[in-house]
Amino acid sequence: MIVCPNCLHEEYSGAILCLECGAQLVSTGRLTQSDGLEEKGKFTTSQIGELKQLSSSMPTGSSKRCLVTVIRSGQVYEIVNKTGFTIGRISASQMILPDIDLSDQDAYGQGVSRLHAQIKITNDHLYIMDLGSSNGTRVNGQKISPHIEYPIENDDIVALGKLQLQIITSR
């Protein structure tokens, strides 16, 4: 864990900015697996295998299948036949809705924006892009810059604000 020198809030190792006050934290600038995330939230190899098996057993009408799993609750959201989708939470005043609505996962309380991030699936890679969210997006504990696509792997931990997800795809 990293302690913010400004407000003393604890952040995961590898964080660039403090979620509480926005102060810049020391970082290597490289996307790496955080020790704290690995112990607290990362799925085991057998669980990843089960999710991949579930993904491969989905209907065969598409080469693009994706499972988004909320680590805390185990809730799985399935996306089929899309090369890209958005993740966020709904709001009564919002006209554009995310493809995956995390409202039932205490998204507001966890710092998830209405249109928080976008996932892009290609034949060879999986990418995530923060859509200018208020509380940021992290890949393996490393905050990513908004509006830039970052490659992610099946076993990476993605945090939207404080809500941790794991994305499994069969491409």
Side-chain angles (χ1 to χ4, degrees):
M1 298 295 277
I2 296 175
V3 177
C4 174
N6 188 44
C7 70
L8 303 178
H9 177 76
E10 288 187 352
E11 290 291 342
Y12 289 111
S13 298
I16 295 173
L17 298 173
C18 176
L19 273 179
E20 292 297 313
C21 70
Q24 187 166 355
L25 305 172
V26 177
S27 172
T28 62
R30 185 170 176 267
L31 296 178
T32 57
Q33 179 66 40
S34 164
D35 292 336
L37 282 175
E38 188 171 18
E39 292 172 8
K40 291 183 180 176
K42 189 171 180 180
F43 286 120
T44 65
T45 303
S46 64
Q47 289 170 318
I48 291 171
E50 288 172 19
L51 287 170
K52 286 180 182 177
Q53 185 176 16
L54 176 60
S55 176
S56 65
S57 68
M58 287 189 255
T60 57
S62 170
S63 62
K64 310 267 192 258
R65 298 180 194 102
C66 192
L67 300 175
V68 177
T69 305
V70 178
I71 292 174
R72 182 183 62 183
S73 69
Q75 173 70 42
V76 178
Y77 299 88
E78 178 182 345
I79 297 290
V80 180
N81 291 335
K82 289 195 172 196
T83 56
F85 57 93
T86 57
I87 304 174
R89 60 179 173 81
I90 60 170
S91 172
S93 63
Q94 182 177 338
M95 298 296 289
I96 300 171
L97 302 176
D99 296 306
I100 295 180
D101 173 22
L102 298 171
S103 297
D104 62 344
Q105 300 296 317
D106 186 32
Y108 181 80
Q110 294 292 312
V112 177
S113 292
R114 288 171 278 200
L115 285 177
H116 196 108
Q118 178 178 10
I119 304 291
K120 181 176 165 186
I121 307 168
T122 68
N123 288 335
D124 300 325
H125 300 288
L126 189 63
Y127 298 92
I128 189 164
M129 179 172 57
D130 182 277
L131 298 173
S133 66
S134 297
N135 294 306
T137 300
R138 288 176 164 49
V139 177
N140 297 325
Q142 181 70 45
K143 189 165 183 174
I144 63 174
S145 298
H147 308 293
I148 298 173
E149 288 183 349
Y150 289 87
I152 56 175
E153 300 295 328
N154 274 335
D155 60 348
D156 287 345
I157 302 295
V158 173
L160 308 181
K162 293 182 180 180
L163 188 64
Q164 295 180 347
L165 310 170
Q166 193 158 34
I167 300 165
I168 305 291
T169 185
S170 65
R171 300 183 287 272

